[in-house]
């Protein structure tokens, strides 16, 4: 028994030493990407990335940010994960041209080191409703004060500009990277164009208060030269996060409406099912976006006017109204009409014009089809009215020939053997533009109805 216990202890000690050696032998940096609208998907992704970095013994986590903001609940999850992280967290608004808006401003200021790439901006962190609307006065005051307390505490803990942080929430203030660094104290710690410059600046620089960069009171480890490991979302997370792209959601809305519309005109189960699925996926994605119900209603109104154009002669006025409503609705689908939302997301204009072009082609083809059907129905109406009428065989029907009925000569086919020219006939059916006839007995009422 003693030998067994000794073996277990030695094995556990060996495993522990091996684990420590592995962690020490492979320090590095985990890089996470916080892009698009902040939702529950990328909140879970950030949480998992920070846990992975802690469990793997990494030296730090680098979060690259390019986001207009998003849900407060998702932002809270990310903030808790960063503040509770067991490894230093570097937040970096990058690449050039990126932004950290609304909720992403909070995430940036939560980093142990906050940096920005050239030509980036940060701010506009006012709190709004889930659909982009202003909150009721009392609720807005409570939520705003809570957000102010949170963002100023984040700024204070990292020696950053508390006054600007408050203005970012109360007044939707924003700042370029140049302005962010010129303020005293600055909004962020440094500017870096790439990861090499970023890590070198962290190793050699100090905060605005003159102190070195720290993590929970201890100096940060040297980061320059460490390998960077990119941790990406899994396939399921990528798919769900893709749905939160306003362009993808708009495409799904459009496909869904036309799928259901096609089902109404040409029942086939397939287009209607696909349309319903597309609309459900679009609403799933829009759950993280400031969906403007007015924009959605304008799109529906535009499609409705297109449909009315098929049934009423308006000389194009309904179609023009449909175009106007569709375009306005598409541009306003994820933004308020006055454009003052803190989260500014919108549909690409090229995509809107492309969807409009497809819509016009779709309805043009549909109109042509309906007009052809109407012409065919008008042309076949007289021949359908001849069923039961009498007439005369003009040529030998053996079984096909020419018959006279309804004041006109028609292609005809006998249903009961040969019919000689001049024989009274009765129309018993129609096959396309061909009469199906049978001879009538002399003296019958059908013979008296003959036009011959």
């Amino acid at each position: 028994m003693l030998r067994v216990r000794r073996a277990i202890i030695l094995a556990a000690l060996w495993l522990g030493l091996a684990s420590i050696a592995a962690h020490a032998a492979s320090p590095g940096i985990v890089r996470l990407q916080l892009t698009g609208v902040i939702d529950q998907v990328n909140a879970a992704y950030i949480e998992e990335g920070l846990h992975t970095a802690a469990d793997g013994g990494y030296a730090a986590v680098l979060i690259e940010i390019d986001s207009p903001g998003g849900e407060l609940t998702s932002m809270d999850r990310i903030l808790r994960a960063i503040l509770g992280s067991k490894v230093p967290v570097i937040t970096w608004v990058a690449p050039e041209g990126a932004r950290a808006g609304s909720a992403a401003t909070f995430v940036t200021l939560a980093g142990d080191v906050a940096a920005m790439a050239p030509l980036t901006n940060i701010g506009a962190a006012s709190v709004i409703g889930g659909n982009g609307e202003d909150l009721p006065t009392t609720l807005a005051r409570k939520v705003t004060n809570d957000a102010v307390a949170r963002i100023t505490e984040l700024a204070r803990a990292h020696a950053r500009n508390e006054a600007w942080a408050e203005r970012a929430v109360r007044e939707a203030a924003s700042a370029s990277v140049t302005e962010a660094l010129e303020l005293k104290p600055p909004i962020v710690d440094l500017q870096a164009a790439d990861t090499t410059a970023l890590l070198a600046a962290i190793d050699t620089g100090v905060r605005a208060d003159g102190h070195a960069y720290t993590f929970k009171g201890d100096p940060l480890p040297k980061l320059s030269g460490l390998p960077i490991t990119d941790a990406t979302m899994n396939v399921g997370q990528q798919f769900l996060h893709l749905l939160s792209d306003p362009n993808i959601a708009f495409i799904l809305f459009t496909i869904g409406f036309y799928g259901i519309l096609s089902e109404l005109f040409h029942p086939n189960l397939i287009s209607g099912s696909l349309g319903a699925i597309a609309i459900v996926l679009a609403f799933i994605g829009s759950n993280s976006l400031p969906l403007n119900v007015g924009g959605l209603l304008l799109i529906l109104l535009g499609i409705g006017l297109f449909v009315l154009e098929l049934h009423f002669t308006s000389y194009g006025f309904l179609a023009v109204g449909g175009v106007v409503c569709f375009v306005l609705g598409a541009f306003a689908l994820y933004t308020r009409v006055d454009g003052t939302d803190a989260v500014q997301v919108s549909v690409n204009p090229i995509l809107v014009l492309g969807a409009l072009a497809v819509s016009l082609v779709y309805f043009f083809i549909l109109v042509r089809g309906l007009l052809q059907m109407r012409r065919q129905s008008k042309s076949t109406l007289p021949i359908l009215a001849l069923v039961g009428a009498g007439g005369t065989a003009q040529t030998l029907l053996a079984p096909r020939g020419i018959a006279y009925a309804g004041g006109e000569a028609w292609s005809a086919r006998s249903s009961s053997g040969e019919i000689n020219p001049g024989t009274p006939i009765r129309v018993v059916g129609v096959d396309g533009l061909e009469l199906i006839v049978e001879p009538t007995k002399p003296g019958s009422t059908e013979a008296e109805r003959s036009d011959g």
Side-chain angles (χ1 to χ4, degrees), residues 33-249:
Q33 303 284 344
L34 183 58
T35 58
V37 176
I38 293 177
D39 54 17
Q40 297 295 328
V41 177
N42 49 27
Y45 160 67
I46 295 295
E47 289 174 338
E48 292 173 6
L50 292 173
H51 287 310
T52 299
D55 295 340
Y58 285 87
V61 172
L62 171 62
I63 303 179
E64 290 190 15
I65 300 172
D66 183 10
S67 170
E71 298 177 336
L72 288 179
T73 54
S74 300
M75 180 196 76
D76 288 339
R77 289 179 59 183
I78 295 176
L79 292 181
R80 284 194 296 267
I82 292 175
L83 297 177
S85 174
K86 297 179 181 179
V87 296
V89 177
I90 304 165
T91 53
W92 181 36
V93 184
E96 291 187 6
R99 61 171 170 163
S102 192
T105 303
F106 289 74
V107 176
T108 303
L109 296 182
D112 299 294
V113 179
M116 297 174 67
L119 305 178
T120 57
N121 63 282
I122 186 173
S126 297
V127 181
I128 57 174
N131 292 326
E133 76 279 6
D134 288 328
L135 296 173
T137 304
T138 303
L139 178 61
R141 186 182 304 115
K142 292 174 61 176
V143 175
T144 298
N145 290 338
D146 178 73
V148 167
R150 190 180 319 176
I151 198 170
T152 53
E153 185 60 27
L154 290 173
R156 183 182 304 114
H158 298 93
R160 295 173 190 141
N161 198 303
E162 298 176 43
W164 180 89
E166 181 175 354
R167 289 198 301 112
V169 174
R170 294 194 185 279
E171 305 172 14
S174 61
S176 66
V177 60
T178 303
E179 295 168 337
L181 292 171
E182 286 178 348
L183 291 176
K184 301 298 180 183
I187 300 169
V188 294
D189 303 314
L190 55 94
Q191 173 179 299
D194 53 45
T195 53
T196 301
L198 173 64
L199 299 180
I202 294 173
D203 287 345
T204 59
V206 294
R207 294 192 183 282
D209 59 6
H211 294 92
Y213 298 111
T214 60
F215 173 66
K216 299 188 184 303
D218 298 324
L220 290 181
K222 292 295 182 181
L223 301 176
S224 296
L226 293 181
I228 297 177
T229 302
D230 287 304
T232 59
M233 292 184 180
N234 59 44
V235 176
Q237 289 174 330
Q238 290 176 357
F239 175 72
L240 290 175
H241 190 55
L242 180 66
L243 295 179
S244 65
D245 186 307
N247 296 306
I248 299 297

Side-chain angles (χ1 to χ4, degrees), residues 4 10 61 71 94 133 204 238 253 343 374 392 397:
V4 174
L10 289 175
V61 172
E71 298 177 336
E133 76 279 6
T204 59
Q238 290 176 357
F253 270 126
V343 181
R374 289 175 182 174
T392 304
L397 303 182

